[in-house]
Amino acid sequence: MKVGIPGGLLYFRYGRLWNSFLNALGAEVVESGETTRSILTSGVSKAENESCLPVKVFYGHVLALKDKVDALFVPRLVSVKKNTHTCPKMLGLPDMAKSAVGEKVDIIAPTIDFHFGLWTNYRAVYSTGRRFTRNPAKIISSGIEAWKEHGSYLEKLTMGVDHKQALEGGSEQRLCEGRELRVGVIGHHYNVYDTFTTMSLLERLGAMGVDVMTADMVPETLRELELKKLPQEIYWSYEQEIAGAILACGRYKLVDGIIFMISFPCGPDSIIRVLCEQEIRSMDTVPMMTLVMDEHTGEGGFLTRIEAFVDMLRRKKDRAEADNRVVVAV
Amino acid sequence: MKISWPHMGSLEVVLASVFEELGLEYVPAPPNSERTLELGARYGPEFACFPLKTTLGNFIEAIEAGADTLIMVAGRGPCRFGYYAETQRRILEDAGYEFEMVPLTFHLGKMPLLMRQLRRLKQSASWTSLARAVKIALSKAYLIDRLEQQALHQRYLDRDKGATTSALKECYEMVFQCDGYDRLRRVEREGFELLHSVPKTERQPIKIGIIGEFYLVLEPFFNLQVEEQLGYLGAYVERNIYLTDWLRPSGNKPIAGHHDSESEEAARPYLTHAVGGEGLHSVGNTVLFHRHGFDGVVHLMPFTCMPETIAKSILPMVSQDLGIPVLSLVIDEMTGKAGVATRLEAFVDLAHFRRRAHRQELPLAPQPAF
Ligand code: SF4
Ligand code: SF4
């Protein structure tokens, strides 16, 4: 059976897990690959106008695979951590995919919910496996293998390996090489790692001589520490990560500046943004810039803003260093 | 301490009667207006939900009117509603207003917190009097909901345009004034009599259901009075949600006449998982409305609302499968009443046309619609 994995949304977090699981089960996996102009265009025309950019991109990926596969693999992630939810759009994703492709293509949509721990998902994983093999041992070993792969992929991301490399198993290209300036680029995985919709932001920052720190690279303990200080806990799984990373970056000055990447019109981020901007302002440690991306964002204006921000950070840093020198001289 | 809260349909009557009963001071937020929206849009975050902005506007106007304690419901996801209170507190503090926000958390694990918050609100009043006040307020709300439903069912028969609406306004007043259950029972009789006595004409109705995000369905000012507009266009209207139905934790919806599980069941072929807010029920109720012989469904959705965006992307499939026309109205601060009126008119025409073309007359249920 040919199974397609659309390369949008949570693919940027679990792609490796899904791919190796299905592969180990003996399915013929077809990926839609990276986002391209035509994927974006077809997604934008098919999706609801009110959808957020990543969902539109996801539609594009689904449409690109539609005629090539027998089934699409679109898991429904309800929660990836106790007491949290993912975004509603992710809860409805398989059904939206179904409405996009119609009856022709089967949608494989195991419901994954970590609210009650890892093992409650056994059933969902097992029933997915049963579609490909009758051998329970094979399902279990595929699951374990995939989980290990996923673990090493995530670890690479925390070490700052470039996303594409980590996905392919390599680890040469680093986002962080100890250059003089370091910028936190924080946002959902698909808002940060998708080279097309971000217009190669990470690469470009690298070319400008700037180290990049993503939310994955911010130590989890620091993130959790920051989240505990909030008066009301955030109940979205990925927003916890984002807000925790931004606040930790600000509090412990892990970076020289923060770029908060948001897609228009993202629901959870519109709320978290208020919180982050206020907290960062009151900490007054590092500057933060919020970039809102949509399908109409022009490359020119986007680049100008990034360059201006980086220049500002450079000047600020130089000034601070100059001040320090004076102190030393005295 | 002067308490205030945001508007949402008849919520005003409920809460005001609670505080009135307890003898506590409260300041009702000034009625929703263009200014409310303008304030909300000015201070509210870009592409936050529409209700967040409007209720923020309510809060600002309430503070200006002298309120210093703001009530808001808080909770947990997955949609944004649970984080309104915290976000609005931050925004208002940034804007330099002085107030205290009391986010009421209705969540089993957070009971002690809720008790603390309620104690702060009720001040010296006793717990029993609070319970009594809430109970009678809910009875009032239940009555109001049924009166509103009656108005929805009969507005299209008005001989003089607007007669039902003004009768309904009178009913609100009567319900609000009454204290004690005896009076309430009398008001119930009088209210229904008043509505029934509105002069009527003969008219063939078409049946239109309203679904969508609860705030927008319940708040007539911001949904641009779709219910009234539809009534004047000759539609027998039913909505999927009423205030007391919404407040019921059991999932039973006695006024709308179904149980949540029924609508979830109905939605199953199209949407199999809850998506927060009313998303799942918007889909399910469309199916239910179709089963009960409705000619069309109007879907109200605040711009950027996540659950309803999902519903909106699935509803075309439902509409095609079942042959029931669905009109999705996306509402935000730019939406003009005139544009909506034209679309509703065209929609009602379409529904009329389809009814004539495809369907035999269906008998009209006199009371509950389904
Ligand atoms: S979290 Fe935001 S960007 Fe992601 S799917 Fe939800 S609304 Fe879209
Ligand atoms: S249901 Fe929609 S409008 Fe209401 S709070 Fe949730 S996202 Fe916002």
Side-chain angles (χ1 to χ4, degrees), chain B residues 49-51 79-81 84 213-214 277-278 302 304-308:
Chain B
C49 338
F50 181 67
C79 107
R80 281 176 272 187
F81 183 55
Y84 273 18
E213 201 260 351
F214 60 84
E278 296 297 313
T304 82
C305 171
M306 303 183 282
E308 300 305 331

Side-chain angles (χ1 to χ4, degrees), chain A residues 24-329:
Chain A
L25 285 170
E28 193 182 330
V29 180
V30 185
E31 291 194 357
S32 55
E34 285 182 41
T35 313
T36 57
R37 166 75 44 203
S38 68
I39 283 185
L40 177 66
T41 324
S42 69
V44 167
S45 60
K46 181 79 187 173
E48 287 305 317
N49 196 19
E50 289 78 23
S51 287
C52 55
L53 177 64
V55 166
K56 289 178 182 166
V57 171
F58 186 82
Y59 266 81
H61 283 279
V62 166
L63 295 180
L65 286 172
K66 188 173 82 166
D67 302 320
K68 296 188 202 148
V69 296
D70 308 310
L72 283 172
F73 189 65
V74 188
R76 188 194 309 274
L77 271 95
V78 178
S79 153
V80 294
K81 214 170 129 211
K82 196 169 183 313
N83 282 331
T84 62
H85 293 277
T86 58
C87 158
K89 305 244 175 85
M90 297 170 189
L91 296 176
L93 203 59
D95 303 287
M96 292 204 271
K98 194 166 125 207
S99 82
V101 296
E103 299 295 326
K104 280 202 309 273
V105 184
D106 206 11
I107 305 273
I108 305 177
T111 302
I112 305 293
D113 188 344
F114 276 80
H115 179 62
F116 299 106
L118 178 63
W119 289 106
T120 43
N121 297 307
Y122 177 75
R123 259 258 213 58
V125 175
Y126 188 77
S127 63
T128 310
R130 274 306 288 265
R131 284 167 170 256
F132 302 96
T133 170
R134 301 186 136 271
N135 180 358
K138 191 171 174 192
I139 300 176
I140 294 172
S141 68
S142 312
I144 293 176
E145 189 187 322
W147 192 248
K148 278 194 193 136
E149 288 272 333
H150 181 56
S152 81
Y153 157 77
L154 282 188
E155 199 181 308
K156 279 182 189 149
L157 288 186
T158 42
M159 292 185 321
V161 176
D162 178 66
H163 181 260
K164 218 180 298 167
Q165 291 249 327
L167 207 56
E168 285 156 7
S171 59
E172 293 87 54
Q173 206 178 332
R174 298 294 177 103
L175 296 172
C176 230
E177 293 174 338
R179 286 169 278 218
E180 31 138 16
L181 208 61
R182 189 185 317 149
V183 173
V185 181
I186 314 265
H188 280 278
H189 272 196
Y190 42 80
N191 287 343
V192 171
Y193 293 132
D194 190 330
T195 32
F196 181 78
T197 55
T198 60
M199 306 180 200
S200 319
L201 173 63
L202 300 190
E203 247 168 68
R204 285 205 160 119
L205 283 173
M208 285 183 205
V210 176
D211 268 356
V212 169
M213 188 164 199
T214 59
D216 298 291
M217 292 156 71
V218 178
E220 196 177 340
T221 37
L222 294 187
R223 293 197 309 239
E224 295 291 326
L225 213 64
E226 284 306 312
L227 289 174
K228 286 224 180 65
K229 290 184 194 150
L230 294 178
Q232 191 190 342
E233 63 185 279
I234 297 171
Y235 46 70
W236 292 292
S237 318
Y238 304 123
E239 263 64 21
Q240 278 197 346
E241 199 176 299
I242 294 169
I246 289 182
L247 298 183
C249 278
R251 181 96 55 199
Y252 307 103
K253 295 199 200 141
L254 302 177
V255 293
D256 300 301
I258 303 171
I259 301 179
F260 185 7
M261 300 289 287
I262 300 185
S263 291
F264 183 84
C266 172
D269 283 356
S270 71
I271 298 284
I272 295 308
R273 177 181 180 182
V274 175
L275 181 154
C276 290
E277 281 179 353
Q278 195 187 36
E279 294 282 333
I280 288 289
R281 215 179 315 129
S282 67
M283 282 178 205
D284 195 24
T285 45
V286 296
M288 176 162 95
M289 172 169 76
T290 311
L291 279 181
V292 180
M293 310 287 294
D294 68 9
E295 61 267 32
H296 309 297
T297 307
E299 192 159 342
F302 179 76
L303 280 186
T304 323
R305 287 197 62 189
I306 304 277
E307 273 161 13
F309 185 67
V310 169
D311 280 348
M312 189 268 284
L313 294 180
R314 275 227 173 84
R315 275 200 308 277
K316 195 169 167 228
K317 186 146 191 169
D318 287 348
R319 214 165 30 223
E321 267 165 19
D323 288 351
N324 278 344
R325 264 199 295 280
V326 173
V327 175
V328 171

Side-chain angles (χ1 to χ4, degrees), chain B residues 6-276:
Chain B
H7 288 292
M8 182 170 92
S10 53
L11 185 68
E12 162 122 42
V13 180
V14 185
L15 286 179
S17 100
V18 171
F19 295 122
E20 195 81 33
E21 185 88 7
L22 292 175
L24 298 177
E25 225 178 330
Y26 66 91
V27 184
N32 282 328
S33 63
E34 292 301 326
R35 179 162 185 269
T36 315
L37 187 54
E38 192 196 307
L39 282 172
R42 170 142 30 107
Y43 289 102
E46 199 193 343
F47 61 88
C49 338
F50 181 67
L52 187 144
K53 296 182 187 169
T54 58
T55 50
L56 185 68
N58 283 151
F59 279 144
I60 295 178
E61 289 186 316
I63 294 173
E64 286 169 353
D68 57 9
T69 307
L70 307 177
I71 311 182
M72 188 74 201
V73 178
R76 24 192 339 97
C79 107
R80 281 176 272 187
F81 183 55
Y83 224 77
Y84 273 18
E86 173 67 7
T87 310
Q88 289 171 331
R89 180 184 66 79
R90 285 178 188 272
I91 295 171
L92 290 174
E93 267 171 13
D94 263 2
Y97 290 103
E98 302 253 328
F99 65 98
E100 196 179 349
M101 180 74 91
V102 184
L104 297 179
T105 331
F106 294 95
H107 184 251
L108 223 50
K110 297 264 174 70
M111 258 336 209
L113 181 65
L114 179 65
M115 297 308 246
R116 267 207 309 283
Q117 287 159 339
L118 286 180
R119 175 166 315 136
R120 207 155 88 219
L121 284 180
K122 78 182 175 60
Q123 297 159 54
S124 56
S126 72
W127 284 105
T128 37
S129 62
L130 176 66
R132 208 168 334 115
V134 169
K135 187 153 172 267
I136 187 157
L138 285 178
S139 310
K140 285 184 186 177
Y142 185 60
L143 175 57
I144 289 186
D145 280 348
R146 281 181 303 144
L147 289 166
E148 277 181 3
Q149 186 178 39
Q150 178 57 38
L152 289 180
H153 289 183
Q154 70 170 50
R155 191 171 277 125
Y156 74 97
L157 290 172
D158 273 7
R159 199 188 59 206
D160 317 309
K161 190 173 162 183
T164 300
T165 308
S166 46
L168 186 65
K169 286 228 174 75
E170 238 170 276
C171 292
Y172 283 148
E173 201 45 43
M174 284 184 337
V175 176
F176 180 61
Q177 296 298 344
C178 83
D179 42 9
Y181 289 96
D182 290 338
R183 283 282 303 275
L184 196 61
R185 262 188 292 277
R186 205 165 61 236
V187 167
E188 173 170 356
R189 216 176 34 247
E190 285 168 8
F192 277 109
E193 264 166 26
L194 187 65
L195 282 175
H196 285 307
S197 68
V198 170
K200 300 196 172 58
T201 54
E202 279 292 309
R203 199 168 178 186
Q204 271 307 319
I206 57 154
K207 293 168 83 179
I208 304 279
I210 296 183
I211 56 167
E213 201 260 351
F214 60 84
Y215 176 86
L216 216 47
V217 174
L218 292 178
E219 179 49 57
F221 184 82
F222 288 120
N223 67 26
L224 309 166
Q225 279 113 4
V226 240
E227 293 173 353
E228 251 175 86
Q229 292 198 42
L230 281 171
Y232 297 147
L233 289 170
Y236 168 101
V237 182
E238 180 57 283
R239 45 162 126 120
N240 68 335
I241 202 152
Y242 290 87
L243 185 63
T244 47
D245 279 357
W246 182 65
L247 292 172
R248 251 170 240 271
S250 67
N252 195 14
K253 296 198 165 15
I255 302 178
H258 64 278
H259 192 278
D260 272 354
S261 59
E262 272 174 69
S263 107
E264 278 155 29
E265 192 59 48
R268 184 131 320 145
Y270 308 101
L271 183 60
T272 46
H273 199 281
V275 292

